[in-house]
Amino acid sequence: MFPPDILDPPRVLLERSTNLVHLNRMDRGGHFAPVEEPELYVGELRDFFRPFR
């Protein structure tokens, strides 16, 4: 999740209502995170998919 996201639900609510696999709250970035912070975005994608290799 990037800082200015519209919703910022508590982790416990996400765990109860979804199959939460990976959650990380970023320090910077925004609504267009892949354009604003491409390195952070790619790092998050890699972290998420690493266990599926």
Side-chain angles (χ1 to χ4, degrees):
M1 296 183 76
F2 289 86
D5 283 340
I6 293 171
L7 298 174
D8 189 14
R11 182 181 185 100
V12 66
L13 180 63
L14 293 172
E15 290 172 342
R16 271 192 248 147
S17 60
T18 66
N19 179 17
L20 187 64
V21 175
H22 179 87
L23 177 66
N24 190 13
R25 298 186 193 285
M26 306 306 286
D27 294 331
R28 60 187 193 277
H31 183 72
F32 299 102
V35 175
E36 297 170 12
E37 299 290 341
E39 297 84 14
L40 286 176
Y41 187 77
V42 169
E44 282 300 300
L45 287 175
R46 287 180 174 160
D47 288 346
F48 174 79
F49 285 107
R50 189 168 288 121
F52 301 105
R53 294 176 89 189

